[in-house]
Amino acid sequence: MIKGFKDFLMRGNVVELAVAVVMGAAMTALVTSFGDAFLNPLITLVTGGAEVGGSFTVNGVEFPYGVFLNGLLVFFLTALAVYFVIVLPMNKLRERFRDHQEVEEELQASEVVLLQEIRDLLREQRQS
């Protein structure tokens, strides 16, 4: 029963689903507040604009490019945090608990392929 639960948790799609939920829900508030507190003022400083995040106007229509830059940076930081906090440790954990039998089967499979290649080469040499 516990082994089945462990197999369920270690299945790839469960981890991907957990990552998606975390990216969509838990980390949004933190990274958005970082963007509002640091990135918007930084974009304002760099662009020299007086408005938060910077913008320009064409024929009376305002284009707030700072909002897009802030969203882009927030997305990148969220993805970076999720990778280093969830994905990388999960991959290491998966490798640690990987059955030794699976490793042996992979080694045997690679040995079988190598032996088949040797067999094929010997057949070619005999036919020549």
Side-chain angles (χ1 to χ4, degrees):
M1 184 170 161
I2 292 176
K3 183 182 184 317
F5 183 68
K6 182 184 105 177
D7 292 342
F8 170 73
L9 289 179
M10 294 304 218
R11 199 176 305 159
N13 54 2
V14 172
V15 173
E16 292 168 8
L17 180 61
V19 168
V21 169
V22 168
M23 282 185 70
M27 298 190 75
T28 300
L30 176 66
V31 178
T32 301
S33 65
F34 175 77
D36 292 340
F38 294 103
L39 297 180
N40 272 339
L42 183 64
I43 292 170
T44 302
L45 280 175
V46 170
T47 60
E51 296 183 23
V52 175
S55 65
F56 63 91
T57 305
V58 176
N59 292 333
V61 178
E62 184 179 358
F63 292 89
Y65 64 88
V67 174
F68 173 72
L69 290 177
N70 185 30
L72 188 65
L73 289 172
V74 165
F75 174 79
F76 176 74
L77 292 174
T78 302
L80 192 69
V82 166
Y83 177 76
F84 284 108
V85 172
I86 295 174
V87 174
L88 192 63
M90 188 63 190
N91 287 342
K92 289 187 182 204
L93 185 67
R94 184 180 297 147
E95 284 297 319
R96 174 183 272 174
F97 288 113
R98 197 169 157 191
D99 289 336
H100 295 290
Q101 183 179 6
E102 290 178 12
V103 174
E104 287 180 20
E105 289 174 1
E106 287 178 7
L107 287 175
Q108 288 176 352
S110 64
E111 289 174 359
V112 168
V113 170
L114 183 61
L115 289 172
Q116 288 173 344
E117 289 175 2
I118 292 171
R119 179 197 64 202
D120 294 341
L121 288 172
L122 288 172
R123 280 184 186 166
E124 287 178 15
Q125 286 179 352
R126 278 191 232 148
Q127 291 174 355
S128 303

